[in-house]
Amino acid sequence: MKLVRPIGGALLALMVVMSSGADPAPVPSAFPHEIHSTLFTSCTPCHDEAGSDNLTELVRVTPADCARCHDGETASLVAFRPPVQGPKIFKFSHELHVGREKFNCVTCHLAEGSEGRMPDMVRPTSESCRTCHGSDSHFAPDADCTQCHEPLSRNPDLTVERIAAFPHPPNHESAEFLSAHGTLAGIDLARCATCHARETCETCHINATQLAPIRSLASDSRVLAQAERITPRWPKPSDHDDPGWLQHHGPKAGRAIEGCANCHQQSSCATCHGTMSLAQVHISRLPNSGTTRATGIVGVAGTKPYHPAGFRLGHGPDAASGRANCTSCHQKQEFCGGCHEGTVSTGFHPLGYLNRHAADAYARDTDCASCHSNEVSCRSCHENAGLAGFDSKSASYHDAQPFWLLAHGQAARQGLDACISCHQQTDCLQCHSAKSGWRINPHGNAFDADRLSDQAPLMCSQCHFSDPVRGAGRERVTPDE
Amino acid sequence: MTIPRVMVSNQGWLAAFLVGALSSADPGTVSAQGIRGELRVDVSAIEFQTVVRDSIPESEVPGEGITRYLPDGTIVTCVPGGYCYSYRSGVMETAAPISQDLTLTAWPGWQGVQARTHLRGRFGSNDLWPRSDQELAVLDLSVDFDRDRFRLRAGRQDHHGGLGALHFDGGSILWKGPSTLRLTVFGGRSLGRGLDVPYNGSLLADADKLAPELGAMLIGFEGRMRPTTSLSASLLYQREIRSDRASRYSERMALDAGWHAGRSRVELSGDFDMASRVVNDLRLLLGRSITPQFDLLIEGRHSSPFFELWTIWGAFTPVGFDQARLSATWRASSELTLEGSAAYRAYRETETGAALAPIEGDAFRGYLGGAWRRDDWSLAARAGVDRGFGAYRGQFDLSVDRSVGLRSSLGLHALGTEQFSEFRFGEGTTHGVGFVGRHGTGRVDLTTQLGRFRHSFQNRPGYEDYNQWRGTLAIALRFGDDPGMKSSRPIGAPRS
């Protein structure tokens, strides 16, 4: 007796029985064999007309056969209705079982509790098969479907409704089955083919046309109704939950993007990578949308799930230190320049930002000057808005501070970059110059005159006639002078 | 290498620019090598209310002092013996700045050689919008020679690092050391921050009476290392020296480092003004995913503004502020994310003795927000407040966005802002609603925004409330491909 191969894990194919349901009761034969037990000595006179004695050419009895005796004279008329033969779904050989293995008919067909020389017969079920073909149950994980069943595609008589009503093996519903079925299909795809066709796989596999096992399955549109019962699922692999997964998935995807293709199509990547990414060389190997009925995991267009909230403002350290491999997604020169070179309109700042930028400028959330020159961009706009005066004496901005002249020192030291957005250097030099005006010393205690004199002597000369540190004769003098 | 900033006198230049750009977009002429490019046109139209200056003789204004009030409450600034000045609303005008960017990257077919250019034309709104007078600027024009161990680059280029984008005309050498070590040395004629033109160009000269007379030379180097997947660091140094070497314009250094492991991350970044010995920016950020759904971030920061040494601003001894920030993000479900942030900053002692007129020495800012996404829909809401030195702001934002297929999205955004300045009478509120739309095919991207805003003023006589339209339309056309990027070889198909 050949035993089914032990295969761990889930059973892929449905074991199909002659009627729907997991394991139906045996169907009694329509013919009362026991009544005729004294008339027929064995099965062969009726079922092996050729007399081969091994039932290689099985004959099914018809009403005409009955009428040979039940003609109304020899015996009363009877209305015999032979069992309707459904589509052949079993792969069974009487020649093998009776002719070669010498099984008796009653081995499989004997009705339970019946006895005698011509007992009642039943149509065998999968249970009968498993008596020898050793699975614990019809849908046992180690059951070898192919031992009893033909592939679905070789059963052209099966209707769409019948296929749609195929019973579900319990293990198909388990979470483990989803992740393991690919491996199992690779081991014994024929088991899958008992109930499934290529269209079944295409329900979920967007890369169905690229996977050899699926390609090798026959196409059979009759399974579409069956497939409609399947809710496509693309469970998230455990490594996708790693907080750094989005940032570090690149190398893995580059090495084996075939694995990604089970769930992702090109548009999945385009959500973040765009279509001009350097990663496109890998992404282009993913299937395109519309290849199969499956949709796969698709990101929402317009969202950038890769970057956390606030990344646009805080990406500096990541980009500068090289931790984020920006160039794997962005064409560096073009992309960075999009903001850092100050594209005019639909760039960095959101709608209506102009009306609310003041607080951000004071807080220095971003270095405004890296894109917008204070001297050039801010001043011209503030003049148009009436914030900067057309000349220093007519400025209207500081009207809420009656003692502004007294307060402006603190304000200037705390937010000098904001002052520059309206004021020129010459505005301040009207008072803060050793050359003219009020000659008020603007330097704080932390002012390092020595160093700045060394670094930028021309800066000193804006306010001082001579080197304020070393004097005209390079002698050190009091900085205040 | 000197590439003069070209000022154009009529729009014919721009037409030629467009025609040239489009004609060069035919990749077929160099298909054996490779060319990739983008032509982007941004058109904006912004209504705004102008202000006009009024003056009346000082003798006709009641009261004394520099700041006085007219009978209707209008604040005037008076010049003793002269006039008192005030501002009031003027007529509505519309600015229509237009910028055109053409970016081209070409591979001539020689191994490792790449050429690139980025041209920008701006026009449409003289005097009304910054830098929208008619000009054509060359932002990038460089050639790369890239090999396994090094890369040479020459021409107008920029270096992006811890100090932002440094623009210059010159050359750079990148050495690709062992493992992830990368060393770059660069130098050339410096282009000003935020300007992309030499220091002694007309832009600064028009904006500041003490603008530099001479340009500057830039030298610098950068080292980057990523010894493990969780640790990375870079160090950047740059110095700008006036071309006659009489003075420095800047000497700066930046340090950036990040450590990310599992659910934790630490980031350290610092910008240092070495010439003035001032720490411009120093941040230490600690982040941790407490649970897979909950992230917490703590940041400590010191910030002090940076000023180039061609200005006198550094001599005023500006002080910085110290800030602590706490942010939290809670992914309540796969669809709902909530976040909040609060920051407090305190300015260091200014030693100005302004006891008679104290101003704020600290500030608080915070916000709460949330986003909900399901299928093609996303809703977002955020409300925040800034209160402290310089400016107060309260604001809210609401948005509803919907993706239409994979290529398009539509959004309706609403916002409200109330703000006033510490130094100025009157509050202003702005409420608006706007439409945002995007459509992209990869080759053609279309982005548009259209908003309607209502501006209201309180306590500012002479300023009239008004409605404002703001709209932008951006079209980007991309053409060509990188060499080797046309592959669509399916998995399992043989390599050609």
Side-chain angles (χ1 to χ4, degrees):
Chain A
M1 177 71 58
K2 181 183 178 184
L3 298 176
V4 292
R5 284 177 290 171
I7 299 174
L11 175 64
L12 297 177
L14 300 170
M15 292 289 284
V16 179
V17 293
M18 293 302 291
S19 60
S20 64
D23 220 355
V27 178
S29 167
F31 184 78
H33 286 86
E34 194 166 2
I35 294 175
H36 295 79
S37 62
T38 57
L39 188 62
F40 304 120
T41 57
S42 69
C43 304
T44 53
C46 294
H47 295 294
D48 187 14
E49 199 171 46
S52 61
D53 206 28
N54 59 11
L55 295 181
T56 54
E57 296 179 16
L58 181 67
V59 172
R60 297 187 184 282
V61 176
T62 66
D65 294 324
C66 300
R68 282 157 39 186
C69 296
H70 292 277
D71 57 1
E73 295 179 2
T74 308
S76 58
L77 293 172
V78 295
F80 174 64
R81 293 178 182 174
V84 177
Q85 297 299 312
K88 181 183 178 183
I89 197 164
F90 278 116
K91 180 175 66 177
F92 185 81
S93 166
H94 279 97
E95 180 182 12
L96 178 65
H97 286 76
V98 179
R100 191 185 304 174
E101 300 291 341
K102 304 301 182 186
F103 286 170
N104 293 321
C105 301
V106 295
T107 304
C108 300
H109 290 280
L110 180 63
E112 186 176 352
S114 183
E115 55 185 4
R117 194 166 58 84
M118 184 68 74
D120 278 341
M121 296 290 118
V122 293
R123 181 183 297 164
T125 66
S126 63
E127 187 69 31
S128 311
C129 304
R130 288 201 305 274
T131 303
C132 299
H133 293 292
S135 291
D136 293 337
S137 69
H138 190 185
F139 297 123
D142 59 352
D144 181 1
C145 317
T146 60
Q147 196 142 36
C148 302
H149 294 288
E150 292 280 8
L152 178 66
S153 59
R154 295 187 194 169
N155 284 302
D157 296 333
L158 279 173
T159 63
V160 170
E161 294 74 19
R162 180 69 181 282
I163 294 171
F166 279 175
H168 255 183
N171 66 335
H172 278 39
E173 302 296 339
S174 71
E176 294 77 16
F177 177 78
L178 207 59
S179 57
H181 80 280
T183 305
L184 296 171
I187 294 171
D188 193 355
L189 187 66
R191 294 200 303 167
C192 311
T194 307
C195 300
H196 299 297
R198 189 185 303 165
E199 285 79 358
T200 311
C201 308
E202 290 177 348
T203 304
C204 299
H205 282 279
I206 56 177
N207 57 338
T209 59
Q210 298 177 347
L211 295 176
I214 296 178
R215 282 205 310 267
S216 67
L217 275 176
S219 175
D220 193 331
S221 61
R222 292 176 299 166
V223 301
L224 289 176
Q226 175 199 61
E228 284 177 359
R229 295 191 313 183
I230 302 173
T231 303
R233 285 183 295 166
W234 298 276
K236 188 193 288 186
S238 57
D239 56 1
H240 286 34
D241 287 326
D242 184 331
W245 169 250
L246 280 175
Q247 290 155 334
H248 299 306
H249 73 283
K252 187 171 183 179
R255 284 194 302 271
I257 204 164
E258 294 84 353
C260 311
N262 286 317
C263 303
H264 297 285
Q265 52 184 319
Q266 292 187 23
S267 58
S268 306
C269 307
T271 303
C272 293
H273 285 277
T275 54
M276 295 294 287
S277 162
L278 290 176
Q280 191 66 22
V281 69
H282 302 300
I283 295 170
S284 63
R285 299 176 61 204
L286 289 174
N288 272 312
S289 59
T291 309
T292 69
R293 290 179 296 112
T295 58
I297 303 294
V298 180
V300 177
T303 61
K304 302 289 183 186
Y306 177 82
H307 298 305
F311 186 77
R312 191 168 54 170
L313 293 178
H315 71 281
D318 271 354
S321 69
R323 194 190 69 78
N325 190 10
C326 310
T327 53
S328 66
C329 298
H330 303 295
Q331 306 286 357
K332 185 176 180 181
Q333 298 302 323
E334 292 92 330
F335 183 81
C336 302
C339 288
H340 285 281
E341 288 170 354
T343 298
V344 177
S345 56
T346 53
F348 185 74
H349 299 301
L351 184 70
Y353 184 74
L354 189 69
N355 296 316
R356 49 170 63 163
H357 72 284
D360 286 346
Y362 277 104
R364 289 199 285 272
D365 260 359
T366 53
D367 187 3
C368 306
S370 68
C371 297
H372 309 288
S373 163
N374 262 338
E375 289 81 3
V376 174
S377 296
C378 302
R379 278 180 201 164
S380 65
C381 210
H382 287 176
E383 284 179 4
N384 283 332
L387 298 176
F390 294 106
D391 57 66
S392 59
K393 291 175 182 174
S394 66
S396 67
Y397 185 75
H398 303 290
D399 52 20
Q401 298 283 338
F403 302 104
W404 174 246
L405 276 179
L406 294 176
H408 86 283
Q410 183 188 353
R413 287 208 169 135
Q414 289 184 180
L416 192 55
D417 42 346
C419 305
I420 299 170
S421 66
C422 293
H423 293 287
Q424 292 196 33
Q425 300 174 79
T426 47
D427 294 342
C428 303
L429 289 179
Q430 292 179 82
C431 298
H432 296 290
S433 171
K435 291 179 178 176
S436 61
W438 294 86
R439 304 193 180 192
I440 296 173
N441 178 6
H443 306 315
N445 291 336
F447 181 64
D448 189 341
D450 271 346
R451 181 162 187 81
L452 280 179
S453 175
D454 284 342
Q455 300 284 321
L458 293 179
M459 177 209 282
C460 305
S461 69
Q462 301 285 7
C463 302
H464 300 275
F465 285 116
S466 59
D467 187 327
V469 177
R470 300 176 183 83
R474 312 302 290 172
E475 297 285 333
R476 176 173 290 278
V477 298
T478 302
D480 286 352
E481 292 181 357
Chain B
M1 183 171 182
T2 299
I3 301 166
R5 171 173 165 268
V6 181
M7 300 295 294
V8 292
S9 57
N10 57 58
Q11 297 178 7
W13 256 109
L14 297 156
F17 172 37
L18 275 175
V19 171
L22 289 170
S23 61
S24 67
D26 177 13
T29 55
V30 286
S31 57
Q33 294 81 38
I35 186 168
R36 185 191 70 231
E38 178 184 292
L39 175 64
R40 180 186 172 95
V41 181
D42 285 85
V43 182
S44 298
I46 305 114
E47 276 188 318
F48 64 92
Q49 192 173 52
T50 58
V51 293
V52 294
R53 187 174 65 159
D54 259 351
S55 63
I56 55 177
E58 186 211 6
S59 58
E60 297 179 12
V61 178
E64 296 180 348
I66 295 175
T67 302
R68 303 181 198 175
Y69 296 87
L70 299 181
D72 67 352
T74 302
I75 305 164
V76 293
T77 303
C78 297
V79 178
Y83 289 87
C84 292
Y85 300 96
S86 66
Y87 289 82
R88 61 175 173 79
S89 296
V91 298
M92 293 293 292
E93 290 203 39
T94 300
I98 299 173
S99 73
Q100 302 159 95
D101 287 76
L102 174 65
T103 310
L104 290 174
T105 305
W107 294 264
W110 304 316
Q111 186 179 1
V113 177
Q114 178 191 98
R116 182 174 45 253
T117 187
H118 182 183
L119 310 175
R120 175 172 294 169
R122 310 181 217 226
F123 70 102
S125 188
N126 293 351
D127 300 329
L128 292 179
W129 198 256
R131 299 199 68 181
S132 59
D133 51 348
Q134 297 175 1
E135 65 174 272
L136 175 63
V138 180
L139 303 181
D140 197 339
L141 183 62
S142 59
V143 178
D144 283 5
F145 181 58
D146 203 340
R147 309 298 294 184
D148 289 343
R149 306 307 300 175
F150 65 90
R151 185 201 66 203
L152 307 177
R153 177 174 293 168
R156 176 160 290 189
Q157 58 191 288
D158 47 34
H159 181 87
H160 293 268
L163 296 173
L166 306 172
H167 304 272
F168 58 97
D169 295 330
S172 66
I173 303 171
L174 165 68
W175 177 60
K176 305 169 188 175
S179 184
T180 56
L181 177 64
R182 300 289 183 271
L183 297 177
T184 307
V185 178
F186 53 90
R189 184 179 69 156
S190 179
L191 305 176
R193 295 176 77 221
L195 294 173
D196 302 329
V197 296
Y199 281 102
N200 57 340
S202 60
L203 277 177
L204 272 181
D206 293 343
D208 200 296
K209 294 170 186 169
L210 298 181
E213 296 172 353
L214 296 175
M217 301 303 295
L218 171 75
I219 58 170
F221 66 84
E222 183 193 61
R224 291 186 182 188
M225 183 76 177
R226 189 175 173 181
T228 70
T229 56
S230 58
L231 178 65
S232 58
S234 73
L235 181 70
L236 171 66
Y237 170 87
Q238 65 98 21
R239 175 189 290 187
E240 289 173 294
I241 309 166
R242 203 169 107 134
S243 58
D244 62 358
R245 305 178 73 178
S247 183
R248 287 182 192 175
Y249 284 173
S250 72
E251 184 179 14
R252 307 180 72 193
M253 189 173 73
L255 170 67
D256 291 272
W259 177 78
H260 292 229
R263 292 179 173 177
S264 300
R265 65 179 172 131
V266 179
E267 290 177 6
L268 174 68
S269 66
D271 299 349
F272 309 99
D273 182 348
M274 300 180 70
S276 304
R277 285 187 176 154
V278 170
V279 176
N280 294 129
D281 202 86
L282 185 62
R283 296 179 195 234
L284 177 62
L285 182 149
L286 309 174
R288 168 98 181 147
S289 295
I290 306 298
T291 70
Q293 290 78 36
F294 186 73
D295 297 344
L296 199 61
L297 186 148
I298 300 172
E299 182 190 65
R301 178 189 178 204
H302 171 76
S303 172
S304 185
F306 163 73
F307 300 105
E308 289 162 338
L309 297 182
W310 65 265
T311 70
I312 61 171
W313 305 122
F316 288 79
T317 330
V319 300
F321 62 74
D322 301 304
Q323 176 175 282
R325 180 167 67 97
L326 178 67
S327 299
T329 304
W330 179 39
R331 290 175 288 277
S333 69
S334 60
E335 298 171 344
L336 179 64
T337 301
L338 302 173
E339 59 180 347
S341 178
Y344 173 79
R345 68 179 187 270
Y347 289 84
R348 294 191 173 176
E349 176 56 48
T350 58
E351 301 164 344
T352 49
L356 285 176
I359 58 176
E360 297 284 349
D362 60 1
F364 168 83
R365 58 188 347 219
Y367 74 85
L368 291 172
W372 177 86
R373 284 198 182 99
R374 175 181 287 178
D375 300 329
D376 294 336
W377 290 92
S378 69
L379 308 177
R382 173 183 275 211
V385 63
D386 282 71
R387 184 181 186 87
F389 168 65
Y392 167 89
R393 178 180 68 184
Q395 66 181 56
F396 73 86
D397 293 271
L398 299 170
S399 65
V400 180
D401 291 275
R402 179 166 190 257
S403 298
V404 183
L406 293 171
R407 294 177 171 175
S408 306
S409 66
L410 302 171
L412 193 62
H413 296 195
L415 60 85
T417 306
E418 179 193 23
Q419 64 178 356
F420 58 85
S421 166
E422 186 183 4
F423 312 129
R424 191 172 198 227
F425 276 118
E427 300 88 51
T429 57
T430 302
H431 293 88
V433 61
F435 162 81
V436 179
R438 296 184 183 88
H439 177 74
T441 65
R443 291 296 183 185
V444 180
D445 282 356
L446 185 67
T447 307
T448 184
Q449 296 181 346
L450 181 64
R452 178 75 163 166
F453 299 89
R454 173 70 178 171
H455 298 266
S456 304
F457 299 95
Q458 291 85 43
N459 303 319
R460 283 207 74 83
Y463 280 72
E464 298 170 1
D465 298 350
Y466 69 99
N467 296 319
Q468 176 195 39
W469 282 106
R470 296 174 63 97
T472 61
L473 176 66
I475 302 172
L477 308 173
R478 300 189 181 93
F479 46 87
D481 289 282
D482 292 14
M485 292 287 284
K486 293 179 180 176
S487 168
S488 58
R489 179 177 63 90
I491 295 168
R495 292 179 184 276
S496 57

